Amino acid sequence: MWYGEICIGSPSKSCFNVGFDTGSSDTWVPAVSLPKTSPYDLSRFDPGSSSSYKQTGEDFKITYADGSEASGISGEDTLTWTSFGLTIPGQKFGLVDSLEQSMQCGETDGMLGLAFSSLAYNHHPTPFENLSPSLQYPMFSFYLDDEPDSNNSELFLGGVNQKYYEDCLTWHSLGHFSLADGTPFEGFWDVQLTSVAVNSDELLTTAGVALVDSGSSYLVVPLADAGTIANKFDATCVNLNDDNTNIVVVECTNADGFKFALVDCATRQTSPNLDIFIEGINYPLSADDLFVEAEGSIPNTNKQCFLAMINAGTTSNMYVLGDTFMRKYYTAFDHKLKKVGFARKSKNGERQSPICALDKYLVEDLNRGSVFLTVLLSLLSIGVLGSGAIGARKYFLKRRGCGCVWTGETARNSSTAGVAFSRLGESLGDNV
């Protein structure tokens, strides 16, 4: 999970670190009424401290695909996207007074959803949707750095930053997701998978829909495909014992799935690619992209890496392209034209290929723009007024420290799919 700061309220502001999540559409922060049961000192919002706060009379609840929930009431206030220097008056957000323990994870206080408002619990416009009329280009893009403790990752509003990718973006249309009854639903950043393969062996057994989700640490893969992929990488699939202190080996293709697919770290150079085809375009992931080294020693095995892949269980036939994918490919989200663009990430943020003429309309000047944007970030605070008034802005992200780790005593998998069920609930059926 990648996060940054927002502030809520006026004239007094309360500031929060929030995860930027393209798999959900709700923005929420802890309320002052949230019980202090977490070992982390979460920031909390006190409505009484802001003269611009308004009650909406609505409740609030969001359920994520890993089963975690946040609930409370809905409110309205001025939101400041701090490092962008942008102020959004009248932003609706959730004030959470009930929060799953697994979501209270130190670096982040809440979430800022970047999917479409049709997915939101109360269907209120997201912060980005409220900004869109004032952006020159209503899009945002992500560059995710590979280094675990790096602060060089970037969320770019209003265009793309060509220094962080090579060649041109390849664009893919949205609109492939359907509810269980076959009704089309537009709310996710969804793309069409046409093939998933290892060594040219076709593995895709589902309808071929993938969500692009910055809120998921890894790939989320339907049960049948996950087992086959694990076998292709000679993985040992395991579950955890009742107190999460030891592993239990299971068949990778068993009907109940598995928790982790353990692999030998030494085989990363000889292992095949996982080829992900979106509308016929191949986006390969190498073993370097897929192998994650455990932070502690995993007992009773010499396999001390695991695949950056989460088994979606028996209720989902959909892929989720999380940070494992987005760290390999620069990703742009065009809100107006409803499409997602991917390009091979540049090495160390140093573009080697010529500037792409097809993408140049999205950012006026690559070399001068970076300096210009930095000045904007430090000097301006612009309200959402007028149309097309705000140029591109960049924002450096931090990486949330919660993930899939073995601490030496217990295993924890606290960062699964950030995709939100919202009020769709059971109507999503087998598609989630």
Side-chain angles (χ1 to χ4, degrees), residues 57 79 167:
L79 185 150
D167 303 315

Side-chain angles (χ1 to χ4, degrees), residues 293-308:
E293 191 166 350
E295 292 185 12
S297 178
I298 304 176
N300 303 321
T301 179
N302 64 345
K303 294 183 176 180
Q304 296 296 311
C305 285
F306 58 89
L307 292 178

Side-chain angles (χ1 to χ4, degrees), residues 61-80:
K61 183 178 181 180
I62 185 168
T63 303
Y64 295 94
D66 63 356
S68 57
E69 292 185 354
S71 61
I73 62 171
S74 180
E76 176 183 322
D77 208 336
T78 299
L79 185 150
T80 303

Side-chain angles (χ1 to χ4, degrees), residues 31-99:
V32 69
S33 54
L34 176 71
K36 295 187 177 182
T37 58
S38 169
Y40 303 103
D41 187 18
L42 300 177
S43 297
R44 288 166 165 80
F45 180 73
D46 182 359
S49 67
S50 173
S51 61
S52 53
Y53 174 79
K54 297 178 182 178
Q55 293 183 348
T56 67
E58 300 167 314
D59 63 351
F60 174 81
K61 183 178 181 180
I62 185 168
T63 303
Y64 295 94
D66 63 356
S68 57
E69 292 185 354
S71 61
I73 62 171
S74 180
E76 176 183 322
D77 208 336
T78 299
L79 185 150
T80 303
W81 216 329
T82 314
S83 291
F84 286 123
L86 299 174
T87 298
I88 308 171
Q91 176 63 50
K92 306 289 198 311
F93 66 102
L95 289 81
V96 168
D97 56 19
S98 177
L99 183 61

